[in-house]
């Protein structure tokens, strides 16, 4: 099977022991321990990485606090912070090929997708946030107390712990770092233990861009140790987490010690509603993209496909046909359209749901099983004959598995679409603009796409209702998470 030539920097990167970034220096873990990451296409060891633990978190938080309170960082103007962030974006863009390869090797996603989606979106996010550095303004207040004037200031929240997931490692790092650095915060970033490589390469680019020591620290390690220590640390002013709802609840509990601010971008079980008057071909392509993009390892994946009965058979057949045509293979193969799942653990999770669905009576019209005996591959799957109480309908699978459900009336589908503990995203497909607006307004989700899916932009806020999280990423809304509002009152 052909693979893209590995970039020399990438080859060097994965063959050496990778240190963490603390206080402007690349250092080993205090314990000296390392952990291994694995190539999802083969299950073989890919790289060895310094294993951060409580002491490493302690060092990183101290460095971030010192950088926030003294030295060059708090003295920089907003314009200077913006220019630094733009320079980092330029460096990410200049090293796009190697970053795309690191994402592919570490996560399993096709290198072609990482090159046209993950890396460019990360660059765009950093540049968008750079522009906001000079626009975080306060306001003058017309208070009613005679002889006094008042105004507000927007100030950085302080030291921020950022814990990012394994499904979009580089992009999620950009989503987190961009607004924090534009605001003037300092950061301790913990990448997912499954996919730390692009974050560590990004750490090198942060240093090359000229950020002062301690402004950005990158501590790889496990959630139970490094992640838990960060969430509970009294020296952290805010924690930003993207990941599962179950872990998000643990983050909230850990943060209660000093009542640090918390933002959470969590799970989803997103409804994708196709009405009888929709363009069938567009809806079929959109429904396939909604669930099979990034191997279904998307928190906003359109994993519950509701189709009005006149179109149900055609849409299901079309999505199943597309599923059967998707070429599975290693991410580094340029011909691959869907790579492996990220880990053995994720493979067991997804196949466990497939087995559960089959036991409960769901029928696979495409896929439904693991592919091959090497690597973590699962066939793109379309399930029918499901019932609302089934685990495959109610729980987040986080794999390339969609349940197709027929409906007859609008007042029937809306309660079903909203019948979930999540509320991250949703979509509706129709030619009737008025109907689209009406349904979109009734879907309890942070993002509703109309006649499209998985459209993201740095200017569009992203986040969830209900147990899909707290707060919003991207757009101007994200700065509510990284700033405090200070009111100042002056007696004349």
């Amino acid at each position: 099977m052909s693979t893209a030539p590995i970039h020399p920097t990438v080859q060097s990167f994965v063959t050496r022991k990778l240190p963490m970034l603390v206080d402007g220096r690349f250092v080993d873990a205090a314990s000296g321990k390392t952990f291994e990451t694995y190539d999802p296409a083969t299950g073989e060891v890919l790289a060895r990485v310094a294993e951060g633990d409580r002491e490493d978190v302690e060092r990183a938080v101290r460095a971030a606090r010192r950088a926030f309170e003294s030295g060059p960082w708090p003295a920089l103007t907003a314009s200077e912070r913006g220019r630094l962030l733009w320079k980092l974006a330029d460096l990410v863009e200049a090293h796009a090929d190697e970053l795309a390869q690191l994402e592919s090797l570490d996560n399993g996603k096709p290198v072609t997708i990482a090159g046209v989606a993950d890396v460019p979106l990360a660059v765009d996010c950093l540049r968008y946030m750079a522009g906001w550095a000079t626009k975080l303004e306060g306001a003058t207040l017309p208070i009613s107390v005679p002889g006094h004037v008042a105004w507000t200031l927007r100030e950085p929240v302080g030291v921020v712990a950022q814990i990012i997931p394994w499904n979009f490692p580089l992009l999620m790092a950009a989503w987190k770092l961009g607004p924090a650095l534009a605001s003037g915060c300092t950061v301790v970033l913990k990448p997912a233990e499954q996919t730390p490589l692009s974050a560590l390469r990004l750490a090198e680019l942060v240093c090359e861009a000229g950020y002062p020591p301690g402004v950005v620290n990158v501590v790889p390690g496990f959630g139970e140790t490094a992640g838990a220590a960060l969430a509970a640390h009294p020296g952290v002013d805010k924690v930003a987490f993207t990941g599962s709802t179950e872990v998000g609840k643990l983050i909230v509990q850990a943060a209660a010690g000093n009542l640090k601010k918390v933002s959470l971008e969590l799970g989803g079980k997103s409804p994708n509603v196709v009405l009888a008057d929709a363009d069938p071909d567009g809806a079929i392509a959109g429904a396939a993209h909604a669930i099979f993009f990034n191997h279904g390892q998307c928190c906003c994946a359109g994993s519950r496909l509701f189709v009005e009965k006149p179109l149900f058979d055609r849409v299901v057949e079309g999505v199943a046909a597309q599923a059967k045509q998707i070429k599975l293979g290693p991410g580094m193969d340029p011909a691959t359209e869907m790579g492996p799942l990220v880990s053995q653990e994720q493979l067991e999770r997804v196949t466990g749901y497939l087995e559960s669905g089959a036991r409960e009576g769901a029928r696979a019209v495409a896929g439904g099983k693991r592919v091959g005996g090497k690597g973590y591959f699962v066939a793109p799957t379309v399930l029918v004959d499901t019932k609302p109480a089934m685990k495959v309908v109610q729980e987040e699978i986080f794999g390339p598995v969609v349940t197709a459900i027929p409906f007859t009336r609008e007042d029937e589908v809306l309660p079903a679409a909203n019948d979930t503990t999540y509320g991250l995203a949703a979509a509706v497909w129709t030619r009737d603009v008025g109907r689209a607006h009406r349904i979109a307004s009734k879907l309890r989700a942070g993002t509703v796409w109309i006649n499209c899916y998985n459209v993201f932009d740095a200017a569009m806020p992203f986040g969830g209702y209900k147990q899909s999280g707290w707060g919003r990423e991207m757009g101007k809304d994200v700065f509510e998470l990284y700033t405090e509002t200070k009111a100042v009152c002056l007696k004349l």
Side-chain angles (χ1 to χ4, degrees):
M1 186 171 290
S2 63
T3 59
I6 295 181
H7 192 285
T9 301
V10 173
Q11 186 66 52
S12 170
F13 204 73
V14 299
T15 53
R16 60 187 170 91
K17 184 176 74 171
L18 297 172
M20 63 185 71
L21 175 64
V22 177
D23 204 11
R25 296 185 301 118
F26 287 93
V27 296
D28 293 333
S31 66
K33 293 193 294 186
T34 62
F35 67 96
E36 295 172 334
T37 68
Y38 296 88
D39 181 344
T42 64
E44 297 171 356
V45 173
L46 177 63
R48 283 193 308 130
V49 179
E51 183 181 333
D53 208 331
R54 186 172 299 275
E55 177 56 33
D56 304 289
V57 166
E58 186 66 39
R59 292 188 300 174
V61 172
R62 282 200 305 266
R65 176 61 60 189
R66 186 168 56 251
F68 179 72
E69 295 182 349
S70 62
W73 181 245
L76 291 182
T77 66
S79 293
E80 289 168 330
R81 290 200 307 272
R83 285 197 294 271
L84 269 178
L85 202 48
W86 194 277
K87 185 174 181 181
L88 178 60
D90 287 345
L91 287 168
V92 172
E93 187 173 56
H95 295 274
D97 290 347
E98 64 195 70
L99 287 165
Q101 289 195 2
L102 285 171
E103 291 293 82
S104 179
L105 288 168
D106 218 13
N107 168 275
K109 66 179 63 191
V111 68
T112 50
I113 301 298
V116 300
D118 298 52
V119 179
L121 285 172
V123 171
D124 185 63
C125 177
L126 294 173
R127 287 180 176 152
Y128 175 85
M129 297 303 169
W132 271 104
T134 54
K135 299 169 186 66
L136 302 177
E137 302 167 339
T140 56
L141 307 176
I143 64 173
S144 302
V145 183
H148 294 71
V149 293
W151 63 92
T152 60
L153 301 172
R154 295 284 293 277
E155 298 183 339
V157 72
V159 174
V160 180
Q162 299 185 320
I163 303 172
I164 59 173
W166 47 256
N167 57 339
F168 293 93
L170 178 69
L171 183 57
M172 294 299 100
W175 279 23
K176 294 286 191 289
L177 285 173
L181 297 176
S183 303
C185 298
T186 57
V187 173
V188 180
L189 182 81
K190 193 201 88 67
E193 57 265 30
Q194 298 90 345
T195 56
L197 300 188
S198 59
L200 293 171
R201 182 68 182 110
L202 183 63
E204 294 179 346
L205 300 181
V206 164
C207 295
E208 188 176 340
Y211 277 88
V215 173
V216 177
N217 307 272
V218 180
V219 180
F222 292 90
E224 300 84 0
T225 50
L230 266 176
H233 200 291
V236 170
D237 300 301
K238 177 220 162 37
V239 59
F241 171 75
T242 297
S244 71
T245 295
E246 292 75 18
V247 175
K249 292 176 181 179
L250 297 175
I251 296 284
V252 172
Q253 294 171 17
N258 67 336
L259 291 180
K260 59 173 63 68
K261 292 180 177 293
V262 177
S263 59
L264 304 167
E265 197 265 278
L266 305 175
K269 192 70 176 175
S270 299
N272 192 10
V273 180
V274 179
L275 302 175
D277 68 344
D279 166 36
D281 293 336
I284 288 167
H289 177 64
I291 186 59
F292 299 137
F293 174 66
N294 206 53
H295 330 165
Q297 296 175 141
C298 296
C299 47
C300 60
S303 53
R304 291 183 300 142
L305 177 61
F306 295 93
V307 187
E308 203 165 2
K309 279 188 175 177
L311 272 188
F312 182 77
D313 290 343
R314 180 172 176 182
V315 169
V316 169
E317 289 168 6
V319 175
Q322 292 207 13
K324 294 171 184 176
Q325 293 169 4
I326 292 173
K327 178 176 173 52
L328 273 66
M332 288 294 287
D333 183 347
T336 290
E337 296 172 330
M338 180 183 288
L341 301 178
V342 72
S343 65
Q344 179 69 30
E345 178 185 9
Q346 192 63 12
L347 174 68
E348 292 171 0
R349 173 187 175 90
V350 174
T351 54
Y353 274 109
L354 293 175
E355 292 164 4
S356 168
R359 282 195 305 270
E360 294 180 332
R363 178 169 57 90
V365 295
K369 59 184 184 301
R370 180 181 183 177
V371 176
K374 185 177 183 181
Y376 314 133
F377 294 93
V378 169
T381 298
V382 180
L383 298 178
V384 295
D385 300 338
T386 61
K387 295 179 175 59
M390 288 182 177
K391 289 175 65 176
V392 291
V393 176
Q394 288 294 325
E395 298 181 15
E396 184 178 38
I397 298 173
F398 222 64
V401 182
V402 63
T403 58
I405 304 161
F407 69 93
T408 56
R409 301 183 315 276
E410 186 178 312
D411 62 355
E412 170 194 350
V413 74
L414 282 168
N418 289 328
D419 181 22
T420 172
T421 59
Y422 300 109
L424 190 57
V428 57
W429 300 79
T430 177
R431 290 186 172 98
D432 186 330
V433 174
R435 201 177 183 194
H437 277 280
R438 183 172 65 251
I439 292 175
S441 70
K442 294 179 180 179
L443 289 167
R444 298 282 294 163
T447 297
V448 178
W449 288 291
I450 298 174
N451 295 331
C452 58
Y453 210 100
N454 283 333
V455 176
F456 300 98
D457 189 89
M460 285 177 58
F462 183 79
Y465 288 23
K466 299 187 279 188
Q467 293 189 39
S468 285
W470 296 347
R472 294 294 181 267
E473 307 270 9
M474 301 192 293
K476 67 178 181 180
D477 298 61
V478 71
F479 290 99
E480 296 295 328
L481 310 180
Y482 291 99
T483 58
E484 299 274 21
T485 299
K486 176 183 287 183
V488 183
C489 183
L490 169 67
K491 183 178 180 180
L492 297 173

